Amino acid sequence: MSTAQTSDLWWKNAVIYCLDPETFLDTDGDGVGNLDGVTERIDYLAGLGITCLWLMPFYPSPGRDDGYDVTDHYGVDPRLGSLGDLAVLVRSAKDRGLRIIVDLVVNHTSDQHPWFRASRRSVDSPMRDWYVWREEQPAEPHGEPVFPDAEDSIWTCDPKTGEWYLHHFYSHQPDLNIANPDVREEIAKVAGFWLALGVDGFRVDAVPFLLDTDGHVGEVDLDPHGFLKDMRSFVSRRSGHAMLLGEVNLPPKQLRPYFGDQQGDELHMMFAFSVMQAMYLSLARRDARPLARALTRLPEIPDTSQWGIFVRNHDELTLDQLTEKERQEVFDAFGPDPDMQVFGRGLRRRLPAMLDGDDQRIRCVYSLLFSLPGTPVLFYGEEIGMGENLDIPGRLSVRTPMQWSDDRTGGFSTARPSRLRRRPPEGRFGPLAVNVASQQREPDSLLRWMEHVIRRRKETPEFGWGTTSLLDTGNDTVLAHRCDWEGGSVMAVHNLSDVPCVVTIALECEPGSVLRDLLEPGEAPIASNGSCEAELQLESYGFRWFRIVPADHPLAPV
Ligand code: NOJ
């Protein structure tokens, strides 16, 4: 593929950073972060090296699902700023070469949304069919509620009309009816609106639920993937570089259709949930095989599509694709206290706390994040090793204020700590111990290391673009993978155990090639007896990245 085309497909070699403006920086001292705060710290983000910001929902909302319960898809929550502030942020990001994607939450709305208020008014409301209604209580054809702690059904009877409405999530989040052409039209209008303001695409919320039209009544072709194809072609017409990154937490076998037909005409990207979950099992067992298996189970995808690799997101760290026994192993290793678990399927902790602050092991995991085949997605605060605050209920324990300094609010706000909606943790992972300011001044800090690795990741497009093969290491604790693309070859090796080891890896390479270390100074020898074998030493939780360089290649990347 030509250089011109690869840069068009920017998401193939991007580094995405997810943040919630509400918890990033509060510039007006009211205790709530805001869009201006993100703009204020845009140079920090550019300096970190990320290439794309994912802004979590900033729309007007009663805040019963942290903004995923939207009451106006065309607005900005006044607590966070104004549309003008958003435009300034987009402009500032572009000026630093950063792209912005925003959440497209259209599976459901808040029950306070004017659309739902109109819909529930009467069975004859002109907007009745914007949501999914049943006269009789349905027999749960759509599976379990997503939040079993709060809901025992996905249908709720609305006292106004005595009819039942569908909600896969909370009962205050009624599902929109995508079988209604007016709803489809409105969703396109919403996407077009934000594209017109200059965003570069969307993180599409809850895609399988959005496409679930089982039993919907409507006038249009119910082919749900037809709807996703329409959405893709619409956003691409409006903005040629717009990207759709979908939340599709399904087993690997069910994922491929969401990328669309042949060359990919639905989602551009999907989060690799199965890989994330297997990675935690591998960490718990100190055994690379679950992760290796998960990588081989991912379906082949079109060249222009991409996996989003992540260590944790803003939700519970879900382990729903593991067996009960496997999940228990991860719970035992990383969240044995029931208070660290949520919904019986996930953990509400951040990685550094789960790994007991083991710096080498933490770096090993982030080295995986940046080298596994796909595009890395960071959650704010990961770059400095923030922990969670378990005093905050449920999933919100990991959505604490960004820790900028050792101030009592972590330099997040000038408001009194008691005015903050969510406080940073205290102790080992609190602002006194973990903050941006001190790590910026510390050459060996996690933050400095992240900057270095992010830079290397961008200089190593093979990880994002290449064909991946797993290499035999003869040691179950070590994962070695190689990515080849356009004549370049790189290899990453990770020891998931605390026992140092030496592994021998057979490589296909030209005689006389060398392994140039991409993270540390130096080269590793490749045996020159024609077998092309490399012998590598790995310390406890050690990891190494190499470029396989033919000896006589003066233009090989440095
Ligand atoms: C997925 C989001 O990630 C989660 O935070 C939210 O609660 C649900 N969708 C419902 O919008």
Side-chain angles (χ1 to χ4, degrees), residues 113-136:
H113 198 296
W115 302 338
F116 189 66
R117 285 172 181 238
S119 175
R120 80 193 318 185
R121 204 161 288 142
S122 82
V123 292
D124 306 318
S125 159
M127 295 196 80
R128 187 67 171 174
D129 289 342
W130 277 51
Y131 295 83
V132 185
W133 293 98
R134 290 286 176 281
E135 281 173 31
E136 306 291 332

PDB file of all heavy atoms in Angstrom, residues 113-136:
ATOM      1  N   HIS A 113     -35.186  12.286  27.851  1.00  0.00           N
ATOM      2  CA  HIS A 113     -35.018  12.858  26.510  1.00  0.00           C
ATOM      3  C   HIS A 113     -36.385  13.280  25.961  1.00  0.00           C
ATOM      4  O   HIS A 113     -37.368  12.550  26.115  1.00  0.00           O
ATOM      5  CB  HIS A 113     -34.385  11.811  25.583  1.00  0.00           C
ATOM      6  CG  HIS A 113     -33.797  12.408  24.348  1.00  0.00           C
ATOM      7  ND1 HIS A 113     -34.557  13.048  23.392  1.00  0.00           N
ATOM      8  CD2 HIS A 113     -32.513  12.478  23.910  1.00  0.00           C
ATOM      9  CE1 HIS A 113     -33.769  13.487  22.426  1.00  0.00           C
ATOM     10  NE2 HIS A 113     -32.510  13.155  22.711  1.00  0.00           N
ATOM     11  N   PRO A 114     -36.456  14.446  25.306  1.00  0.00           N
ATOM     12  CA  PRO A 114     -37.751  14.881  24.763  1.00  0.00           C
ATOM     13  C   PRO A 114     -38.366  13.836  23.824  1.00  0.00           C
ATOM     14  O   PRO A 114     -39.598  13.727  23.760  1.00  0.00           O
ATOM     15  CB  PRO A 114     -37.414  16.162  23.992  1.00  0.00           C
ATOM     16  CG  PRO A 114     -36.123  16.650  24.566  1.00  0.00           C
ATOM     17  CD  PRO A 114     -35.404  15.461  25.136  1.00  0.00           C
ATOM     18  N   TRP A 115     -37.540  13.055  23.147  1.00  0.00           N
ATOM     19  CA  TRP A 115     -38.109  12.018  22.260  1.00  0.00           C
ATOM     20  C   TRP A 115     -38.887  10.987  23.082  1.00  0.00           C
ATOM     21  O   TRP A 115     -39.978  10.576  22.705  1.00  0.00           O
ATOM     22  CB  TRP A 115     -37.019  11.270  21.471  1.00  0.00           C
ATOM     23  CG  TRP A 115     -36.145  12.133  20.624  1.00  0.00           C
ATOM     24  CD1 TRP A 115     -36.422  13.376  20.134  1.00  0.00           C
ATOM     25  CD2 TRP A 115     -34.822  11.804  20.163  1.00  0.00           C
ATOM     26  NE1 TRP A 115     -35.369  13.846  19.401  1.00  0.00           N
ATOM     27  CE2 TRP A 115     -34.377  12.900  19.387  1.00  0.00           C
ATOM     28  CE3 TRP A 115     -33.975  10.709  20.304  1.00  0.00           C
ATOM     29  CZ2 TRP A 115     -33.123  12.922  18.773  1.00  0.00           C
ATOM     30  CZ3 TRP A 115     -32.734  10.721  19.694  1.00  0.00           C
ATOM     31  CH2 TRP A 115     -32.312  11.811  18.936  1.00  0.00           C
ATOM     32  N   PHE A 116     -38.301  10.571  24.202  1.00  0.00           N
ATOM     33  CA  PHE A 116     -38.996   9.553  24.991  1.00  0.00           C
ATOM     34  C   PHE A 116     -40.206  10.167  25.703  1.00  0.00           C
ATOM     35  O   PHE A 116     -41.255   9.531  25.805  1.00  0.00           O
ATOM     36  CB  PHE A 116     -38.056   8.892  26.008  1.00  0.00           C
ATOM     37  CG  PHE A 116     -38.691   7.700  26.686  1.00  0.00           C
ATOM     38  CD1 PHE A 116     -39.000   6.547  25.960  1.00  0.00           C
ATOM     39  CD2 PHE A 116     -39.014   7.728  28.038  1.00  0.00           C
ATOM     40  CE1 PHE A 116     -39.616   5.447  26.575  1.00  0.00           C
ATOM     41  CE2 PHE A 116     -39.627   6.631  28.657  1.00  0.00           C
ATOM     42  CZ  PHE A 116     -39.919   5.493  27.919  1.00  0.00           C
ATOM     43  N   ARG A 117     -40.050  11.395  26.164  1.00  0.00           N
ATOM     44  CA  ARG A 117     -41.195  12.040  26.825  1.00  0.00           C
ATOM     45  C   ARG A 117     -42.385  12.083  25.874  1.00  0.00           C
ATOM     46  O   ARG A 117     -43.517  11.827  26.265  1.00  0.00           O
ATOM     47  CB  ARG A 117     -40.850  13.459  27.236  1.00  0.00           C
ATOM     48  CG  ARG A 117     -39.950  13.498  28.457  1.00  0.00           C
ATOM     49  CD  ARG A 117     -39.498  14.923  28.695  1.00  0.00           C
ATOM     50  NE  ARG A 117     -38.625  14.979  29.830  1.00  0.00           N
ATOM     51  CZ  ARG A 117     -38.846  15.718  30.910  1.00  0.00           C
ATOM     52  NH1 ARG A 117     -39.909  16.470  30.992  1.00  0.00           N
ATOM     53  NH2 ARG A 117     -38.003  15.714  31.906  1.00  0.00           N
ATOM     54  N   ALA A 118     -42.074  12.417  24.593  1.00  0.00           N
ATOM     55  CA  ALA A 118     -43.157  12.479  23.609  1.00  0.00           C
ATOM     56  C   ALA A 118     -43.681  11.067  23.329  1.00  0.00           C
ATOM     57  O   ALA A 118     -44.893  10.843  23.225  1.00  0.00           O
ATOM     58  CB  ALA A 118     -42.654  13.129  22.324  1.00  0.00           C
ATOM     59  N   SER A 119     -42.767  10.118  23.238  1.00  0.00           N
ATOM     60  CA  SER A 119     -43.155   8.761  22.876  1.00  0.00           C
ATOM     61  C   SER A 119     -44.059   8.128  23.936  1.00  0.00           C
ATOM     62  O   SER A 119     -45.013   7.419  23.618  1.00  0.00           O
ATOM     63  CB  SER A 119     -41.895   7.914  22.695  1.00  0.00           C
ATOM     64  OG  SER A 119     -42.216   6.570  22.454  1.00  0.00           O
ATOM     65  N   ARG A 120     -43.750   8.383  25.197  1.00  0.00           N
ATOM     66  CA  ARG A 120     -44.497   7.698  26.266  1.00  0.00           C
ATOM     67  C   ARG A 120     -45.843   8.370  26.542  1.00  0.00           C
ATOM     68  O   ARG A 120     -46.680   7.810  27.245  1.00  0.00           O
ATOM     69  CB  ARG A 120     -43.660   7.647  27.546  1.00  0.00           C
ATOM     70  CG  ARG A 120     -43.670   8.935  28.330  1.00  0.00           C
ATOM     71  CD  ARG A 120     -42.632   9.043  29.412  1.00  0.00           C
ATOM     72  NE  ARG A 120     -42.438   7.843  30.202  1.00  0.00           N
ATOM     73  CZ  ARG A 120     -41.619   7.788  31.271  1.00  0.00           C
ATOM     74  NH1 ARG A 120     -40.950   8.868  31.650  1.00  0.00           N
ATOM     75  NH2 ARG A 120     -41.467   6.676  31.946  1.00  0.00           N
ATOM     76  N   ARG A 121     -46.057   9.579  25.962  1.00  0.00           N
ATOM     77  CA  ARG A 121     -47.242  10.364  26.307  1.00  0.00           C
ATOM     78  C   ARG A 121     -48.526   9.583  26.065  1.00  0.00           C
ATOM     79  O   ARG A 121     -49.415   9.536  26.879  1.00  0.00           O
ATOM     80  CB  ARG A 121     -47.228  11.675  25.516  1.00  0.00           C
ATOM     81  CG  ARG A 121     -48.014  12.781  26.166  1.00  0.00           C
ATOM     82  CD  ARG A 121     -47.619  14.144  25.625  1.00  0.00           C
ATOM     83  NE  ARG A 121     -46.302  14.591  26.055  1.00  0.00           N
ATOM     84  CZ  ARG A 121     -45.427  15.267  25.306  1.00  0.00           C
ATOM     85  NH1 ARG A 121     -45.750  15.562  24.050  1.00  0.00           N
ATOM     86  NH2 ARG A 121     -44.276  15.636  25.798  1.00  0.00           N
ATOM     87  N   SER A 122     -48.626   8.930  24.897  1.00  0.00           N
ATOM     88  CA  SER A 122     -49.827   8.132  24.631  1.00  0.00           C
ATOM     89  C   SER A 122     -49.503   7.125  23.538  1.00  0.00           C
ATOM     90  O   SER A 122     -48.515   7.294  22.811  1.00  0.00           O
ATOM     91  CB  SER A 122     -50.991   9.026  24.174  1.00  0.00           C
ATOM     92  OG  SER A 122     -50.854   9.287  22.791  1.00  0.00           O
ATOM     93  N   VAL A 123     -50.356   6.115  23.416  1.00  0.00           N
ATOM     94  CA  VAL A 123     -50.091   5.109  22.371  1.00  0.00           C
ATOM     95  C   VAL A 123     -50.249   5.717  20.979  1.00  0.00           C
ATOM     96  O   VAL A 123     -49.773   5.158  19.989  1.00  0.00           O
ATOM     97  CB  VAL A 123     -51.002   3.864  22.519  1.00  0.00           C
ATOM     98  CG1 VAL A 123     -50.640   3.079  23.761  1.00  0.00           C
ATOM     99  CG2 VAL A 123     -52.467   4.245  22.520  1.00  0.00           C
ATOM    100  N   ASP A 124     -50.889   6.868  20.897  1.00  0.00           N
ATOM    101  CA  ASP A 124     -51.066   7.516  19.588  1.00  0.00           C
ATOM    102  C   ASP A 124     -50.034   8.601  19.332  1.00  0.00           C
ATOM    103  O   ASP A 124     -50.120   9.320  18.328  1.00  0.00           O
ATOM    104  CB  ASP A 124     -52.453   8.192  19.508  1.00  0.00           C
ATOM    105  CG  ASP A 124     -53.539   7.221  19.831  1.00  0.00           C
ATOM    106  OD1 ASP A 124     -53.430   6.088  19.339  1.00  0.00           O
ATOM    107  OD2 ASP A 124     -54.460   7.579  20.604  1.00  0.00           O
ATOM    108  N   SER A 125     -49.083   8.751  20.229  1.00  0.00           N
ATOM    109  CA  SER A 125     -48.103   9.811  20.031  1.00  0.00           C
ATOM    110  C   SER A 125     -47.411   9.640  18.684  1.00  0.00           C
ATOM    111  O   SER A 125     -47.043   8.524  18.304  1.00  0.00           O
ATOM    112  CB  SER A 125     -47.067   9.745  21.158  1.00  0.00           C
ATOM    113  OG  SER A 125     -45.889  10.391  20.749  1.00  0.00           O
ATOM    114  N   PRO A 126     -47.205  10.737  17.944  1.00  0.00           N
ATOM    115  CA  PRO A 126     -46.500  10.624  16.660  1.00  0.00           C
ATOM    116  C   PRO A 126     -45.090  10.051  16.851  1.00  0.00           C
ATOM    117  O   PRO A 126     -44.509   9.525  15.914  1.00  0.00           O
ATOM    118  CB  PRO A 126     -46.427  12.066  16.148  1.00  0.00           C
ATOM    119  CG  PRO A 126     -47.330  12.877  17.009  1.00  0.00           C
ATOM    120  CD  PRO A 126     -47.638  12.098  18.258  1.00  0.00           C
ATOM    121  N   MET A 127     -44.554  10.163  18.069  1.00  0.00           N
ATOM    122  CA  MET A 127     -43.202   9.625  18.304  1.00  0.00           C
ATOM    123  C   MET A 127     -43.241   8.282  19.012  1.00  0.00           C
ATOM    124  O   MET A 127     -42.215   7.800  19.482  1.00  0.00           O
ATOM    125  CB  MET A 127     -42.358  10.628  19.078  1.00  0.00           C
ATOM    126  CG  MET A 127     -42.113  11.894  18.283  1.00  0.00           C
ATOM    127  SD  MET A 127     -40.789  12.879  18.948  1.00  0.00           S
ATOM    128  CE  MET A 127     -39.346  12.078  18.348  1.00  0.00           C
ATOM    129  N   ARG A 128     -44.432   7.666  19.099  1.00  0.00           N
ATOM    130  CA  ARG A 128     -44.535   6.391  19.820  1.00  0.00           C
ATOM    131  C   ARG A 128     -43.505   5.382  19.312  1.00  0.00           C
ATOM    132  O   ARG A 128     -42.804   4.739  20.066  1.00  0.00           O
ATOM    133  CB  ARG A 128     -45.947   5.827  19.627  1.00  0.00           C
ATOM    134  CG  ARG A 128     -46.233   4.577  20.474  1.00  0.00           C
ATOM    135  CD  ARG A 128     -46.257   4.947  21.931  1.00  0.00           C
ATOM    136  NE  ARG A 128     -46.727   3.885  22.808  1.00  0.00           N
ATOM    137  CZ  ARG A 128     -46.719   3.967  24.134  1.00  0.00           C
ATOM    138  NH1 ARG A 128     -46.247   5.052  24.728  1.00  0.00           N
ATOM    139  NH2 ARG A 128     -47.159   2.975  24.881  1.00  0.00           N
ATOM    140  N   ASP A 129     -43.373   5.263  17.998  1.00  0.00           N
ATOM    141  CA  ASP A 129     -42.521   4.210  17.436  1.00  0.00           C
ATOM    142  C   ASP A 129     -41.036   4.557  17.402  1.00  0.00           C
ATOM    143  O   ASP A 129     -40.245   3.863  16.769  1.00  0.00           O
ATOM    144  CB  ASP A 129     -42.990   3.860  16.010  1.00  0.00           C
ATOM    145  CG  ASP A 129     -44.307   3.120  16.058  1.00  0.00           C
ATOM    146  OD1 ASP A 129     -44.636   2.596  17.143  1.00  0.00           O
ATOM    147  OD2 ASP A 129     -45.003   3.079  15.027  1.00  0.00           O
ATOM    148  N   TRP A 130     -40.672   5.635  18.065  1.00  0.00           N
ATOM    149  CA  TRP A 130     -39.233   5.912  18.179  1.00  0.00           C
ATOM    150  C   TRP A 130     -38.594   4.957  19.194  1.00  0.00           C
ATOM    151  O   TRP A 130     -37.397   4.788  19.240  1.00  0.00           O
ATOM    152  CB  TRP A 130     -38.998   7.364  18.606  1.00  0.00           C
ATOM    153  CG  TRP A 130     -39.043   8.296  17.429  1.00  0.00           C
ATOM    154  CD1 TRP A 130     -40.026   8.365  16.481  1.00  0.00           C
ATOM    155  CD2 TRP A 130     -38.052   9.255  17.059  1.00  0.00           C
ATOM    156  NE1 TRP A 130     -39.714   9.310  15.544  1.00  0.00           N
ATOM    157  CE2 TRP A 130     -38.488   9.891  15.881  1.00  0.00           C
ATOM    158  CE3 TRP A 130     -36.847   9.665  17.607  1.00  0.00           C
ATOM    159  CZ2 TRP A 130     -37.763  10.880  15.237  1.00  0.00           C
ATOM    160  CZ3 TRP A 130     -36.121  10.671  16.980  1.00  0.00           C
ATOM    161  CH2 TRP A 130     -36.574  11.262  15.805  1.00  0.00           C
ATOM    162  N   TYR A 131     -39.406   4.358  20.005  1.00  0.00           N
ATOM    163  CA  TYR A 131     -38.923   3.391  21.008  1.00  0.00           C
ATOM    164  C   TYR A 131     -39.652   2.076  20.778  1.00  0.00           C
ATOM    165  O   TYR A 131     -40.554   1.989  19.935  1.00  0.00           O
ATOM    166  CB  TYR A 131     -39.139   3.953  22.422  1.00  0.00           C
ATOM    167  CG  TYR A 131     -38.289   5.193  22.650  1.00  0.00           C
ATOM    168  CD1 TYR A 131     -38.714   6.452  22.220  1.00  0.00           C
ATOM    169  CD2 TYR A 131     -37.037   5.094  23.251  1.00  0.00           C
ATOM    170  CE1 TYR A 131     -37.915   7.575  22.380  1.00  0.00           C
ATOM    171  CE2 TYR A 131     -36.231   6.231  23.425  1.00  0.00           C
ATOM    172  CZ  TYR A 131     -36.673   7.458  22.987  1.00  0.00           C
ATOM    173  OH  TYR A 131     -35.888   8.571  23.142  1.00  0.00           O
ATOM    174  N   VAL A 132     -39.273   1.058  21.512  1.00  0.00           N
ATOM    175  CA  VAL A 132     -39.820  -0.280  21.260  1.00  0.00           C
ATOM    176  C   VAL A 132     -40.853  -0.612  22.344  1.00  0.00           C
ATOM    177  O   VAL A 132     -40.490  -0.814  23.515  1.00  0.00           O
ATOM    178  CB  VAL A 132     -38.677  -1.324  21.270  1.00  0.00           C
ATOM    179  CG1 VAL A 132     -39.209  -2.695  20.901  1.00  0.00           C
ATOM    180  CG2 VAL A 132     -37.557  -0.900  20.324  1.00  0.00           C
ATOM    181  N   TRP A 133     -42.107  -0.640  21.955  1.00  0.00           N
ATOM    182  CA  TRP A 133     -43.209  -0.838  22.914  1.00  0.00           C
ATOM    183  C   TRP A 133     -43.915  -2.167  22.673  1.00  0.00           C
ATOM    184  O   TRP A 133     -44.005  -2.629  21.532  1.00  0.00           O
ATOM    185  CB  TRP A 133     -44.245   0.274  22.764  1.00  0.00           C
ATOM    186  CG  TRP A 133     -43.756   1.635  23.158  1.00  0.00           C
ATOM    187  CD1 TRP A 133     -43.283   2.610  22.323  1.00  0.00           C
ATOM    188  CD2 TRP A 133     -43.695   2.173  24.482  1.00  0.00           C
ATOM    189  NE1 TRP A 133     -42.929   3.722  23.040  1.00  0.00           N
ATOM    190  CE2 TRP A 133     -43.177   3.492  24.385  1.00  0.00           C
ATOM    191  CE3 TRP A 133     -44.028   1.693  25.752  1.00  0.00           C
ATOM    192  CZ2 TRP A 133     -42.989   4.309  25.486  1.00  0.00           C
ATOM    193  CZ3 TRP A 133     -43.847   2.516  26.846  1.00  0.00           C
ATOM    194  CH2 TRP A 133     -43.329   3.807  26.715  1.00  0.00           C
ATOM    195  N   ARG A 134     -44.419  -2.754  23.741  1.00  0.00           N
ATOM    196  CA  ARG A 134     -45.248  -3.956  23.655  1.00  0.00           C
ATOM    197  C   ARG A 134     -46.496  -3.760  24.520  1.00  0.00           C
ATOM    198  O   ARG A 134     -46.389  -3.253  25.642  1.00  0.00           O
ATOM    199  CB  ARG A 134     -44.504  -5.181  24.202  1.00  0.00           C
ATOM    200  CG  ARG A 134     -43.374  -5.658  23.356  1.00  0.00           C
ATOM    201  CD  ARG A 134     -43.887  -6.381  22.112  1.00  0.00           C
ATOM    202  NE  ARG A 134     -42.770  -6.734  21.272  1.00  0.00           N
ATOM    203  CZ  ARG A 134     -42.135  -5.898  20.468  1.00  0.00           C
ATOM    204  NH1 ARG A 134     -42.541  -4.646  20.389  1.00  0.00           N
ATOM    205  NH2 ARG A 134     -41.128  -6.270  19.750  1.00  0.00           N
ATOM    206  N   GLU A 135     -47.638  -4.236  23.984  1.00  0.00           N
ATOM    207  CA  GLU A 135     -48.865  -4.124  24.784  1.00  0.00           C
ATOM    208  C   GLU A 135     -48.813  -5.035  25.996  1.00  0.00           C
ATOM    209  O   GLU A 135     -49.253  -4.685  27.087  1.00  0.00           O
ATOM    210  CB  GLU A 135     -50.075  -4.518  23.932  1.00  0.00           C
ATOM    211  CG  GLU A 135     -50.521  -3.408  23.010  1.00  0.00           C
ATOM    212  CD  GLU A 135     -51.605  -3.890  22.057  1.00  0.00           C
ATOM    213  OE1 GLU A 135     -52.378  -4.782  22.430  1.00  0.00           O
ATOM    214  OE2 GLU A 135     -51.640  -3.378  20.929  1.00  0.00           O
ATOM    215  N   GLU A 136     -48.293  -6.255  25.762  1.00  0.00           N
ATOM    216  CA  GLU A 136     -48.239  -7.251  26.848  1.00  0.00           C
ATOM    217  C   GLU A 136     -46.795  -7.396  27.320  1.00  0.00           C
ATOM    218  O   GLU A 136     -45.862  -7.139  26.555  1.00  0.00           O
ATOM    219  CB  GLU A 136     -48.690  -8.627  26.324  1.00  0.00           C
ATOM    220  CG  GLU A 136     -50.035  -8.638  25.654  1.00  0.00           C
ATOM    221  CD  GLU A 136     -51.153  -8.396  26.666  1.00  0.00           C
ATOM    222  OE1 GLU A 136     -50.955  -8.750  27.842  1.00  0.00           O
ATOM    223  OE2 GLU A 136     -52.183  -7.803  26.273  1.00  0.00           O
TER     224      GLU A 136
END
